[in-house]
Amino acid sequence: MGRRRSFKPVKITINGKTRTVYNVVQAGNMLLSDWPEQTPAAKAAELLVLDVFNDAAGPEQVRRALITAAKASDIKFSS
C-alpha cells in the first residue's frame, strides 16, 4: 500500500463548490471540515479514515464510504 493511500478520484460538490478527492487524507479533511451534516454514513466514513491509518481498512473502503455518505446527504458526486 502506498504511503499516500490514494484511490480512484471522486468529484464531490458541496455548496456549489466541486473538489476532487484523491486520497484518504483529503477524504478525512472533507468529512471533518466541509460536510454539511453529521449523518451515520458520514460518521462511518470518518471512522474508516482512522482505520486506514491503523491498517484496519483500505483506501478503497474509504472511497466507497465517501460515496455512500454523499448519497445519504444528497451531495452531488461523480467518479
Side-chain angles (χ1 to χ4, degrees), residues 30-71:
M30 179 175 275
L31 285 160
L32 290 171
S33 307
D34 304 315
W35 218 253
E37 54 180 350
Q38 187 60 284
T39 61
K43 194 76 201 152
E46 284 174 22
L47 292 173
L48 272 173
V49 168
L50 294 176
D51 284 346
V52 169
F53 290 101
N54 295 320
D55 294 323
E60 190 52 42
Q61 287 170 275
V62 171
R63 182 180 186 277
R64 284 197 303 269
L66 187 65
I67 289 170
T68 300
K71 288 177 184 169

Side-chain angles (χ1 to χ4, degrees), residues 20-31:
T20 305
V21 182
Y22 295 94
N23 60 48
V24 172
V25 172
Q26 290 175 332
N29 286 339
M30 179 175 275
L31 285 160

